Amino acid sequence: MKKINRRSFLAAAGLTAAALALTACGGSASSTASSAASSAASSEAASTGAAAELTTVEAGKLTMATNATFPPYEMTTDSGEIEGIDVDTAKAIAEKLGLELQIDDMDFDAALLSVQQGKADIVMAGVTVTDERKAVMDFSDSYATGIQSIIVPEGSDITSPDDLAGKKIGTQRGTTGYIYCSDDFGDDAVVAYDNGLTAVQALNNGQVDAVVIDNAPAKEYVAANPGLVILDTSYAEEDYAIGMAKGSSLEDAVNAALEELKADGTLQSIVDKYITAE
């Protein structure tokens, strides 16, 4: 199992703050625990009925589209299993809804299209909420905060986002990194790859001057590729949420499940499973 440093991962701090805020609003520790236990019991008792009322792509299942090349949110283990923060969160949501989680791994663009076309119920792949995406799909409440970071070779003359002007920038196709860089520097300056790993390999080979990608996988890629570094200055900060089809009947149920997972500490436990405390 892969873990990253908590200091570089804002989602952990965000989830902790959310959990603490909910606890503070609930009163004493004993009353909060009692309330959480009561809520859990009610949720369990209602799960069968709730599942029957929900319309999903496949009856009894919650189908999740993802792109399992985004550690620690989703990644493929040596045994071929898909794991990560998004995966465990989706499993917990499915359990709350009385559904069985089914994961479909595909390219990032295809994952976004999958929910729009009614082929998947949700998409979770470190998906950022943008106005363009909101025009074609609905989103749950945010469950994490992400950072777009810049990877460069050691000794590069690129020391800030402004220095990307006139450079070749590698990104993952369809991601916000690709969208932002195309908007800021023009389509000709941006090279889109099928996944972040391929973009980083292109950087190692001198085919691009920098890679713009989410901070969590950026840390993983840099750790595995000596000679590469992440700039101290981030390119952008953004919210991650669960994508669904426009008008999906699942939105309210998914948001309710997320709130319960924050309140009872499950979401924080999932983060702790993949991220070190140091």
Side-chain angles (χ1 to χ4, degrees), residues 27 58 78 84 96 99 106 113 129 149 153 182 218 231 251 274:
E58 187 173 347
D78 292 339
K96 290 280 187 185
L99 299 169
M106 60 193 76
L113 284 172
V129 180
S149 291
S182 297
L231 296 188
E251 185 173 351
Y274 293 95

Side-chain angles (χ1 to χ4, degrees), residues 12 25 50 83 115 123 128 150 158 165-166 174 177 183 243 254 266:
C25 291
E83 65 174 13
V115 293
V123 54
T128 302
I150 303 169
I158 299 172
D183 287 346
V254 168
T266 300

